[in-house]
Every structure is written in C-alpha cells, then in structure tokens.
Amino acid sequence: MKKILFKIAGKSIPIIIGDGICSKASISKYIDYKDVAIITNTKIAKLHLKNLEKYLKGFNVKVLILPDGEKYKNISSLNKVHDFLIKNKFNRNLTIIALGGGVIGDLAGFASDTFLRGVNLIHIPTTLLAQVDSSIGGKTGVNHKYGKNLIGSFKHPMAIFIDTSYLKTLPQKEYISGLSEVVKYGAIGNKVFLKWLNKNSKLILARDSGSLIKLITNSVKAKVSVVQKDEKESNIRAHLNFGHTLGHAIESSLNYKGISHGEAVSIGMLFASAISVEKSDLKIDEFNLIENTLANFSLPVRIPSSITCAKILQNMAYDKKNKQGKINFVLLTSIGSCGLNDHISDRYILGLLKTFQS
Ligand SMILES: NC(=O)c1ccc[n+]([C@@H]2O[C@H](COP(=O)([O-])OP(=O)(O)OC[C@H]3O[C@@H](n4cnc5c(N)ncnc54)[C@H](O)[C@@H]3O)[C@@H](O)[C@H]2O)c1
Ligand SMILES: [Zn+2]
C-alpha cells in the first residue's frame, strides 16, 4: 500500500494506492458520521457494489444507481442525485462516496459540493483514467448541451482510494484509453518514466500488478505536483492539456462517438510533438520515443479520415481553454519540459493536420 498526501486548499488529502486497499478499516476512517450515500452506475453496481456495502456495515448507507454513460453526465442526473439526497433526509453530516469512472466522479463530486452547500466526499475511482487523472485535482461538473464540463466547481474529497483490483473488470479499450494520460505525464514531466513505459509496455498491457502500482503512483505524483502549484489553472496546470488541443477538437468533430478521449489525446500528443520538433527544439529521437510508446499501447496517432481538417481547425478555435480566440498548444522543448504557445498560425496547423490524416 502506498499513501501520497495531496496538500491543497489548506487540506491534506490522503491518496491511498494498492491492490485490494478498500476495506472497512481503511474507508471508515474517513467517514465522520453515520450517513453515507454511494453514487454509482448500473455497470459498476453489478460488479463492485456488494463488496463496498460490506465494508460499510454499521453505517446508514443509501445507494443511488444511475444509468451508465457520458450522456448522463448532465443537469438532469444532478437533479436526480439531489432529489435522492433530499428524499433520504440527509443533512450536512453526510459523506458521499463516488464509486465509478470519471463520469460518476465528476457528477457525484459536483453533487457533494452543491447539496446543502457542501458535504464530505470520498472518491473510489474504478477506471484507469479516473485513478490517474479525474479523481485528483478537484474539478467536478456536468456537461451542457453547448459543450462538455461547462457547469462545475472545484471540490476536493476527504480521501481517494485507488484500488487496482477494480481494474480487473475494466474493458481493454477503456484501460488503453487511460494509458494515454499516463504517457502524457511522462512526456510533459518525466523522461525516465516515459522510457520505463516504453520498455515495459507488454507487462503494462497485461495489467501486471507491480507495473500497475508503479504507473499509477508515478501518474498520481505528477498530477498532484502540478495541481499543488496551480490549483485553478492560471499557469502550469494548463500543461496537463498536452495533446488535448487537437484531442478535444477530434472528439467534438466526431460528436464524442467512435473514439475514446484517450485515443483522441494520443493523436493530439503526437501532433503537438510534431509541432514541437519544428517550433520548439524537441529532438527527433524524443519524438520517436513518444510515437513508439503510443504505438506499443496500440493507441492511434492518425486523424480519422471521416473528419475534415477544416472542421477540426474550426473546433480547435472554439475550445473553451483558448484565450482571445488564439489556439493554444502545449509544446515540448524536450521530453519532461514544456510550455504554452499561442503563436502557431492557422495555415501551419492546417498543413500539418493534412499530413496527420489516415
Ligand atoms: N475532473 C477531472 O479533472 C477530469 C479529468 C479527466 C476526465 N474527466 C471526465 O471523466 C470522464 C471520463 O471518465 P472515464 O474514462 O472513467 O469514463 P466512464 O466513467 O464513462 O467509464 C468508462 C466505462 O467504464 C465503465 N467502468 C467503470 N469502471 C469499471 C470497472 N471497474 N469495470 C468495468 N467497467 C467499468 C463505466 O461504467 C463506463 O461504461 C469524462 O466525463 C471527462 O470529462 C474529468
Ligand atoms: Zn484528458
């Protein structure tokens, strides 16, 4: 078992990582009173709810099971959560447990921040993406019909339990999608880690227990270190958007269908790396290391032919993270070091996009 302390907003949040670390003793330590509401979805409930309920014997536990899917990460589901909490007459002594991937984590996290102006929250992330990314850093929220994650807040939990045993039931496509964010941490902050990922890709793809703990621990440390320095994304937290400028544009061009977030980010990372070679001194062998690592994980690096480059460019310009209409890229100066650049011309981007089409 590993424990990382995430020091943020005057709090010290334990992030506990290990195989089978969820237990009665470990979880109950972070629940102040008797009342507990578990928020999860149909798929995860079938696989993992019984065990969690066992660990919570002795508490007054109520469970809300939502339908599965990103399309339910909306205000209407948030209303359902609030209705459920109010009908159960919970008060401010409540602890909400988010049991699920990023969708449940973001939604239940936002509900915990808005119900009675804030009750306690515990994250139990069950996808690799949620374990290395979405459960850490406090961003919560729901989608709006005009865009993703447009309604939300910053809310940190009492504790985060990263139990790798949950990953045993995760479909391979979801697992590989999470690996994309792991490669990102290596590319932007840690060359030794990226080389290790590259060398050990077979073990990692086979979800070898020791490799999993190592890759999650390194990723969590990377995210914690960035967010501790810049919680509200006024500067270096934006580095975590490496690969996301193009990634988000691909996802929205495809209406979030047929490609996972991690797959879109993988294409975006190689694209940003290609710009980095030409505009910010990234060496070609470093570019090759990134490409090779993504390929080892069977992550895509070419833009699907069903989208036009003009559409992608248009969607990049709409990205909510842009300032004054300029397209922002996170570029690498070398592996492990990066910065923001909003001086890349549309003409140059369009030309490069064409070379990335499959
Ligand atoms: N808050 C943040 O900082 C942040 C960061 C990145 C992403 N996100 C958000 O995270 C969401 C994506 O998260 P995700 O990739 O975890 O998707 P997800 O929550 O939809 O989970 C993916 C699929 O895996 C299933 N699943 C989850 N755990 C499982 C398990 N252990 N076994 C079997 N199936 C399981 C889910 O039911 C779902 O079908 C997006 O909404 C994104 O906006 C938030
Ligand atoms: Zn991402």
Side-chain angles (χ1 to χ4, degrees), residues 158-196:
M158 301 296 285
I160 305 171
F161 288 91
I162 302 183
D163 190 333
T164 54
S165 71
Y166 287 116
L167 301 180
K168 290 183 184 132
T169 58
L170 191 68
Q172 189 71 349
K173 192 175 161 72
E174 297 294 346
Y175 178 68
I176 288 175
S177 183
L179 285 176
S180 182
E181 304 283 357
V182 174
V183 172
K184 178 187 80 179
Y185 293 125
I188 63 171
N190 188 339
K191 188 168 183 177
V192 175
F193 181 42
L194 189 67
K195 280 186 169 165
W196 177 83

Side-chain angles (χ1 to χ4, degrees), residues 31-230:
I31 304 176
D32 289 341
Y33 301 93
K34 283 273 159 213
D35 289 345
V36 176
I38 301 173
I39 315 289
T40 189
N41 75 24
T42 44
K43 194 184 266 176
I44 301 154
K46 258 188 218 136
L47 296 164
H48 301 295
L49 180 60
K50 246 197 204 135
N51 264 335
L52 180 58
E53 284 181 315
K54 244 195 274 164
Y55 306 143
L56 294 168
K57 279 223 171 91
F59 288 94
N60 168 37
V61 181
K62 296 279 186 284
V63 183
L64 178 64
I65 301 175
L66 294 163
D68 179 25
E70 179 77 35
K71 69 173 177 194
Y72 297 104
K73 193 178 126 179
N74 56 22
I75 287 285
S76 150
S77 297
L78 182 72
N79 275 335
K80 272 195 199 162
V81 181
H82 286 151
D83 288 353
F84 159 82
L85 299 174
I86 294 164
K87 276 185 192 153
N88 278 291
K89 299 193 169 58
F90 285 125
N91 60 29
R92 298 202 64 205
N93 295 337
L94 173 68
T95 295
I96 290 183
I97 298 183
L99 175 70
V103 166
I104 287 293
D106 280 12
L107 178 69
F110 192 34
S112 78
D113 200 28
T114 43
F115 176 62
L116 302 178
R117 297 198 182 84
V119 295
N120 283 345
L121 169 70
I122 290 176
H123 275 304
I124 306 187
T126 60
T127 63
L128 182 61
L129 180 129
Q131 297 192 339
V132 298
D133 189 358
S134 64
S135 68
I136 305 150
K139 285 188 184 175
T140 77
V142 293
N143 302 327
H144 185 273
K145 64 180 172 191
Y146 293 139
K148 271 196 74 173
N149 298 323
L150 292 183
I151 319 288
S153 70
F154 283 94
K155 163 81 181 180
H156 294 287
M158 301 296 285
I160 305 171
F161 288 91
I162 302 183
D163 190 333
T164 54
S165 71
Y166 287 116
L167 301 180
K168 290 183 184 132
T169 58
L170 191 68
Q172 189 71 349
K173 192 175 161 72
E174 297 294 346
Y175 178 68
I176 288 175
S177 183
L179 285 176
S180 182
E181 304 283 357
V182 174
V183 172
K184 178 187 80 179
Y185 293 125
I188 63 171
N190 188 339
K191 188 168 183 177
V192 175
F193 181 42
L194 189 67
K195 280 186 169 165
W196 177 83
L197 290 171
N198 183 282
K199 242 185 156 172
N200 293 279
S201 54
K202 285 209 174 96
L203 275 176
I204 293 167
L205 280 174
R207 306 185 203 190
D208 163 67
S209 174
S211 307
L212 262 181
I213 302 281
K214 177 164 176 172
L215 80 84
I216 291 171
T217 306
N218 272 303
S219 302
V220 168
K221 281 185 180 161
K223 178 129 191 200
V224 160
S225 141
V226 169
V227 179
Q228 277 181 172
K229 288 181 199 129
D230 175 28

Side-chain angles (χ1 to χ4, degrees), residues 227-327:
V227 179
Q228 277 181 172
K229 288 181 199 129
D230 175 28
E231 185 195 4
K232 299 281 159 69
E233 202 168 318
S234 38
N235 48 68
I236 65 159
R237 188 165 180 172
H239 294 174
L240 298 174
N241 294 325
F242 175 61
H244 286 58
T245 310
L246 175 59
H248 283 151
I250 292 175
E251 285 184 283
S252 64
S253 301
L254 289 169
N255 283 323
Y256 300 92
K257 290 190 185 96
I259 193 158
S260 70
H261 175 69
E263 287 168 344
V265 167
S266 167
I267 304 164
M269 286 195 286
L270 202 69
F271 187 75
S273 303
I275 304 178
S276 303
V277 170
E278 291 190 2
K279 309 269 184 194
S280 88
D281 294 335
L282 183 71
K283 297 209 171 55
I284 197 73
D285 61 320
E286 297 188 296
F287 173 91
N288 291 340
L289 176 63
I290 294 172
E291 181 169 38
N292 195 256
T293 310
L294 296 170
N296 284 353
F297 291 138
S298 309
L299 279 160
V301 289
R302 291 276 162 251
I303 297 167
S305 55
S306 56
I307 338 171
T308 67
C309 296
K311 176 91 188 154
I312 294 175
L313 190 67
Q314 194 186 30
N315 282 332
M316 276 193 203
Y318 280 141
D319 195 303
K320 73 173 188 286
K321 303 221 158 136
N322 289 335
K323 295 200 174 85
Q324 285 140 13
K326 289 186 173 159
I327 300 176

